[in-house]
Amino acid sequence: MSTAILTGQPVPGSSIEGDLRSLGFDVRTAADAAEAETLLARVPGQERVAVVDARFVGHVHALRLGLTDPRFPLAAIPGAVTAQPAARQALTRALARENSAGGTTLVDSLADRLVEALDAEVHRPELGSLVAEVPADPQARNEARQSVAAVDDEAVRLKSAVKARDGFFTTYCISPYSRYLARWCARRGLTPNQVTTASLLTALIAAACAATGTRGGFVAAGVLLLFSFVLDCTDGQLARYSLQYSTLGAWLDATFDRAKEYAYYAGLALGAARGGDDVWALALGAMVLQTCRHVVDFSFNEANHDATANTSPTAALSDKLDSVGWTVWVRRMIVLPIGERWAMIAVLTALTTPRITFYALLIGCAFAATYTTAGRVLRSLTRKANRTDRAAQALADLADSGPLAQGLAEAFKNPARRLPGFTAPAVALLGGLAVVATAALTDFGGPWPVVAALFYAATSALAVARPLKGALDWLVPPFFRAAEYGTVLALGVKAGVNGALPAAFGLVAAVAYHHYDTVYRIRGNAGAPPHWLVRAIGGHEGRTLMVTVLAVLFTAAQFKVALTALAVAVALVVLVESIRFWVSAGAPAVHDEGEPA
């Protein structure tokens, strides 16, 4: 239970007490600041507390935005201030200072004075057309009430439930009705996490339908995939509508998106196999391309989000294009965000074959990846930015270097200081190309992939031997991902036995989960996965070397079994630790409004 302390003389006919109770507050009244301080001290330390002026006039949703958002320790709107347990001491100190200053009358709003006296950052939500005022006289109160009546706060609430920046398909084909589904869920007490889970289950059923390999199954799969996406939009809108944000919810939403899409790829591949068409290489290629594309996004954002002097002519041109209506939607569509991508997959599944679906997906994602990466490279080369130690550490965490690369990096640290600034991405690219090309172009079972993997480990160590603060150092993690995943794909193809590519698909899926999990921990300010986990699964260079060694030691049939065992082992370790962490995480509530994935 949260507690709201109403301060000042009650106003006849005011609905503030009922409004606060409707938001889940236990309401207590205080005549002055001294009594408010006494009541504040009686509120249990683990509860949220708010101080609200009894003269407050405004929309209920304005109070909801100001007083119930779990993401911010301190928040305020005119006439009201709230503190979560983590910020209780700051509110207590502000109220004590108010009392010591002799503030015993409430001619001005005590809540507003407390906001000015707080010695910590206070979140002030954007209210837009919503009203939140403390009228000074009856005429002002009457005018404020008229302003409240003139604006439908439920319509504002529904509109604000939709993500501010989204893709064309989502904005015009899903959100116009999914927001009402979100409200329906809220009124029945459903949580965003429950809707997220329903979306996952729907997508898994869609994948099972695709795995039947029949035309009816493919049609049902396409329809269910679209419905899964509707639910995927609904869970975020429900979170915004009801302000039910949580670290666990953000992780589930992001993780399940990847799980749904990649499980669907597997379902399509199984369905194609039933019809005599082996498209596992295409399915794995699509997963590799999509994951590497995401890592480019994550790495670039982490490298630049807190950089100083972060200006670029290319970025200025991009901002200018975003100010012209039609270019906004064209630019959002050509990067093939999740709405457009899933719509394309669903339609092609229902109307064509899995092979055609994967060809279209690979072509579309390759174009989108080229477009976005080229633009970010241009921005990086033309901007003058000073990157922080935090950004360098985030890139080092995203690199996922294991004991082998870390040990060699210590040996390379002094020579690396004398190398040019572009060394890190250059050597990462060189090593990655060497190991993937060797695995793809040499005979399966030969020793050369192992030699190339050792060279890759050395170049990987050189790439991370000094802090990743260069203009293009954000390319290092995606180069590592492409090298590791590409090696597994190439060796799976070269094995040439039934089941090798599905095993490779499983291994890449397990490792990709670990890499996505690392991203979401960093985004949630929860830190990278523990060092023991990275050491236990070998790091990117250790896993790459291990897979090439397995290809040398075993026959193709034995390699398939070994790859399957490795995939299961990695999946168990990363899943158990990840679930343990997120279920028990004490990180603050978050909600990601970033680019549509």
Side-chain angles (χ1 to χ4, degrees):
M1 174 69 80
S2 302
T3 299
I5 301 173
L6 270 182
T7 60
Q9 294 299 320
V11 177
S14 173
S15 64
I16 182 62
E17 189 169 341
D19 292 342
L20 289 170
R21 286 201 170 93
S22 72
L23 296 177
F25 285 93
D26 177 25
V27 181
R28 305 176 186 179
T29 59
D32 53 30
E35 189 174 352
E37 185 176 16
T38 301
L39 291 176
L40 178 62
R42 293 175 182 172
V43 177
Q46 71 276 14
E47 292 184 6
R48 174 192 286 272
V49 64
V51 177
V52 183
D53 195 299
R55 298 168 297 169
F56 177 89
V57 175
H59 289 100
V60 176
H61 192 50
L63 284 170
R64 181 180 291 108
L65 290 172
L67 302 183
T68 67
D69 196 323
R71 295 172 295 176
F72 308 104
L74 284 168
I77 57 174
V81 60
T82 184
Q84 294 200 66
R88 171 70 70 80
Q89 290 185 355
L91 183 62
T92 300
R93 288 193 299 269
L95 191 51
R97 283 193 291 270
E98 174 65 23
N99 275 327
S100 65
T104 57
T105 63
L106 297 178
V107 175
D108 298 317
S109 171
L110 173 61
D112 292 341
R113 295 203 304 272
L114 289 177
V115 172
E116 296 300 322
L118 284 168
D119 53 11
E121 183 178 355
V122 181
H123 171 68
R124 299 175 186 268
E126 292 288 338
L127 298 180
S129 59
L130 295 175
V131 177
E133 300 180 13
V134 180
D137 54 59
Q139 181 178 351
R141 169 171 292 276
N142 184 55
E143 292 173 353
R145 285 175 171 171
Q146 291 177 358
S147 298
V148 170
V151 176
D152 184 353
D153 70 336
E154 179 60 20
V156 173
R157 187 182 180 189
L158 272 174
K159 183 178 179 180
S160 63
V162 177
K163 187 183 291 187
R165 179 183 173 88
D166 225 327
F168 180 88
F169 179 77
T170 304
T171 300
Y172 290 104
C173 299
I174 303 297
S175 293
Y177 57 88
S178 62
R179 68 183 74 180
Y180 295 101
L181 179 58
R183 181 172 67 182
W184 183 89
C185 293
R187 290 178 175 177
R188 283 153 184 80
L190 298 176
T191 67
N193 291 352
Q194 290 171 332
V195 178
T196 301
T197 303
S199 176
L200 173 66
L201 293 176
T202 304
L204 293 179
I205 295 172
C209 290
T212 63
T214 64
R215 178 51 50 193
F218 288 147
V219 172
V223 172
L224 287 171
L225 185 65
L226 284 177
F227 182 60
S228 174
F229 182 65
V230 172
L231 293 176
D232 182 58
C233 295
T234 301
D235 63 3
Q237 291 166 357
L238 174 58
R240 286 181 285 273
Y241 181 85
S242 57
L243 300 185
Q244 296 184 73
Y245 301 120
S246 69
T247 302
L248 177 62
W251 170 71
L252 287 176
D253 184 42
T255 303
F256 283 5
D257 278 351
R258 305 288 79 81
K260 288 180 287 189
E261 186 166 359
Y262 298 158
Y264 192 82
Y265 292 176
L268 278 178
L270 288 170
R274 287 180 177 272
D277 189 12
D278 187 354
V279 297
W280 275 105
L282 297 178
L284 180 50
M287 181 166 65
V288 170
L289 179 57
Q290 189 61 30
T291 303
C292 290
R293 178 185 164 200
H294 282 142
V295 176
V296 168
D297 295 343
F298 300 147
S299 296
F300 179 81
N301 290 335
E302 288 300 327
N304 293 285
H305 88 281
D306 58 354
T308 58
N310 198 8
T311 59
S312 164
T314 308
L317 176 61
S318 178
D319 293 340
K320 184 176 181 180
L321 289 174
D322 274 345
S323 66
V324 182
W326 66 272
T327 64
V328 174
W329 295 116
V330 170
R331 282 156 54 82
R332 291 186 190 179
M333 292 175 68
I334 62 177
V335 300
L336 209 62
I338 188 170
E340 277 75 358
R341 192 168 69 250
W342 282 27
M344 180 185 74
I345 294 171
V347 172
L348 290 177
T349 298
L351 301 180
T352 64
T353 65
R355 180 171 291 272
I356 293 175
T357 301
F358 281 123
Y359 280 151
L361 182 62
L362 286 166
I363 292 171
C365 287
F367 176 82
T370 302
Y371 170 78
T372 55
T373 304
R376 286 167 177 171
V377 168
L378 286 174
R379 290 190 187 194
S380 299
L381 292 175
T382 56
R383 74 176 12 138
K384 296 180 179 180
N386 299 316
R387 291 171 176 83
T388 64
D389 291 337
R390 180 206 172 278
Q393 183 59 52
L395 291 180
D397 292 333
L398 291 174
D400 191 34
S401 299
L404 180 57
Q406 289 177 348
L408 291 173
E410 287 297 320
F412 293 155
K413 186 169 293 184
N414 290 331
R417 292 196 182 103
R418 298 190 292 271
L419 295 175
F422 58 82
T423 298
V427 298
L429 177 60
L430 176 63
L433 288 175
V435 69
V436 173
T438 304
L441 300 177
T442 59
D443 292 334
F444 182 83
W448 291 112
V450 176
V451 175
L454 289 170
F455 175 72
Y456 170 65
T459 56
S460 300
L462 183 59
V464 297
R466 63 182 181 185
L468 297 174
K469 292 185 177 182
L472 296 178
D473 284 359
W474 55 269
L475 286 169
V476 170
F479 284 160
F480 287 166
R481 297 297 82 77
E484 180 183 359
Y485 301 162
T487 301
V488 176
L489 171 59
L491 290 175
V493 171
K494 297 295 286 188
V497 297
N498 187 33
L501 277 169
F505 188 97
L507 176 58
V508 171
V511 175
Y513 175 89
H514 164 62
H515 290 143
Y516 280 115
D517 186 52
T518 301
V519 169
Y520 302 137
R521 294 194 196 209
I522 294 172
R523 279 188 166 184
N525 294 317
H531 293 302
W532 72 261
L533 176 65
V534 177
R535 290 194 297 268
I537 59 177
H540 68 94
E541 82 291 346
R543 290 187 298 270
T544 302
L545 179 60
M546 178 178 290
V547 171
T548 59
V549 169
L550 293 176
V552 172
L553 295 179
F554 298 131
T555 65
Q558 293 170 333
F559 175 73
K560 174 192 70 175
V561 176
L563 211 58
T564 302
L566 181 60
V568 171
V570 172
L572 284 175
V573 173
V574 299
L575 279 172
V576 169
E577 202 288 325
S578 175
I579 292 171
R580 179 209 62 78
F581 171 80
W582 287 104
V583 169
S584 62
V590 296
H591 183 69
D592 184 15
E593 288 283 2
E595 296 289 339

